[in-house]
Amino acid sequence: MNDKLTIGGIELENRLFIGTGKFPNKKIIPEVVKKSGSKVITMALRRVDLNSKQENILDYIPKDCILLPNTSGARNAEEAVRIAKLAKAMGCGNWIKIEVISDNKYLLPDNYETIKATEMLAKEGFIVLPYMNPDLMVAKSLVNAGAAAVMPLGAPIGTNRGLQTKELIRILIEEIDIPIIVDAGIGKPSHAAQAMEMGAAAVLVNTAIATAKDPVKMAHAFNLSVKAGRLAYISKIAPEKKYAEASSPLTGFLNE
């Protein structure tokens, strides 16, 4: 079965994207990547220092992975564009995850500035994946701005609370023609499976893996859950019913 996800002209077999932040030890990242099966790895540009004599996050990311630098720390579109261009100049490729956050309490994305940054970078040939509050009109504006995919949050960053925005994400999946990648708030493999069962194209998980007692095993668990959720979706999940319905016939017994 050919069920690959295509973004920016690149086909991906694995629909789990992972991050590189919060790990207790960067040395486990290669094994986490391996067990996750992920080929798209996001990272904050501020963690990359090519001139540092200390360890560099790029040293731990397998070369066959697609780097997805994010613009973490940007508070407006101009700052996000500047970070994206720096990432490209440093050899991180032309994929970029737009994060524009000026809210210090809930860390919610600024949708307006995100649209502006997406439009500017898409015009310059970047493969833009914007992180956004799930809103249909905003998603449509991001499509028009040139986004390659949109990344609605499931819950605020790092909360592990799951799909608190489930119904809003469902609307995006139904109405938007580019991939919907659920990002932020996914705390359990079951959350990831649920997102995939709904029809999300992929999920991005960082905190739930990095802060688990055993990140390597948790990465494997998420890998399996994403595959299971996707398989359930394309198998056409049976509809829910209001009343009980026996699996076996209740009439026609032999003694009748």
Side-chain angles (χ1 to χ4, degrees):
M1 180 179 64
N2 184 6
D3 181 43
K4 296 180 180 179
L5 169 62
T6 302
I7 297 178
I10 295 179
E11 291 186 339
L12 302 167
E13 293 187 0
N14 193 291
R15 293 170 180 267
L16 172 61
F17 298 4
I18 66 171
T20 53
K22 300 184 180 180
F23 284 97
N25 187 335
K26 293 184 179 66
K27 292 180 180 179
I28 69 171
I29 291 178
E31 189 64 18
V32 167
V33 174
K34 179 180 178 181
K35 289 296 185 181
S36 72
S38 180
K39 292 299 180 182
V40 179
I41 314 298
T42 190
M43 62 184 185
L45 187 65
R46 64 174 182 267
R47 295 196 184 99
V48 180
D49 185 354
L50 298 179
N51 298 316
S52 175
K53 295 181 180 179
Q54 305 297 321
E55 60 182 6
N56 191 302
I57 191 66
L58 290 176
D59 296 335
Y60 298 98
I61 299 176
K63 302 303 181 185
D64 62 343
C65 290
I66 296 171
L67 295 177
L68 179 60
N70 65 59
T71 63
S72 175
R75 300 178 68 83
N76 54 53
E78 289 72 23
E79 290 180 4
V81 169
R82 188 180 310 119
I83 293 171
K85 290 181 177 180
L86 282 172
K88 187 175 182 180
M90 293 169 63
C92 295
N94 68 335
W95 285 46
I96 192 73
K97 176 189 171 188
I98 298 297
E99 289 186 23
V100 180
I101 298 173
S102 56
D103 160 42
N104 292 327
K105 184 175 182 180
Y106 298 104
L107 302 179
L108 297 175
D110 184 326
N111 281 347
Y112 175 72
E113 293 292 317
T114 298
I115 295 169
K116 288 171 57 180
T118 297
E119 184 172 17
M120 287 188 279
L121 289 170
K123 286 180 178 178
E124 296 199 22
F126 282 85
I127 306 302
V128 186
L129 288 75
Y131 170 60
M132 46 91 75
N133 275 310
D135 177 282
L136 179 58
M137 296 304 107
V138 171
K140 288 184 176 181
S141 294
L142 288 168
V143 172
N144 293 334
V150 292
M151 306 182 74
L153 61 86
I157 292 173
T159 60
N160 292 340
R161 291 168 57 192
L163 300 180
Q164 299 294 308
T165 59
K166 177 180 177 181
E167 294 308 314
L168 297 176
I169 291 174
R170 190 188 303 279
I171 291 171
L172 300 191
I173 291 170
E174 291 176 355
E175 300 295 328
I176 301 299
D177 291 332
I178 62 175
I180 306 299
I181 302 170
V182 179
D183 179 18
I186 292 178
K188 303 174 183 177
S190 57
H191 296 158
Q194 184 180 24
M196 299 305 296
E197 288 171 1
M198 289 168 54
V203 298
L204 193 156
V205 181
N206 185 184
T207 300
I209 294 175
T211 61
K213 186 174 181 180
D214 189 330
V216 174
K217 288 183 179 178
M218 187 59 73
H220 188 202
F222 270 101
N223 186 9
L224 296 175
S225 69
V226 168
K227 290 177 178 177
R230 179 63 182 178
L231 186 58
Y233 172 73
I234 62 178
S235 299
K236 306 299 181 185
I237 297 172
E240 295 182 1
K241 296 184 178 181
K242 184 175 181 180
Y243 298 107
E245 182 177 294
S247 299
S248 300
L250 298 178
T251 59
F253 293 104
L254 293 176
N255 60 354
E256 292 184 353

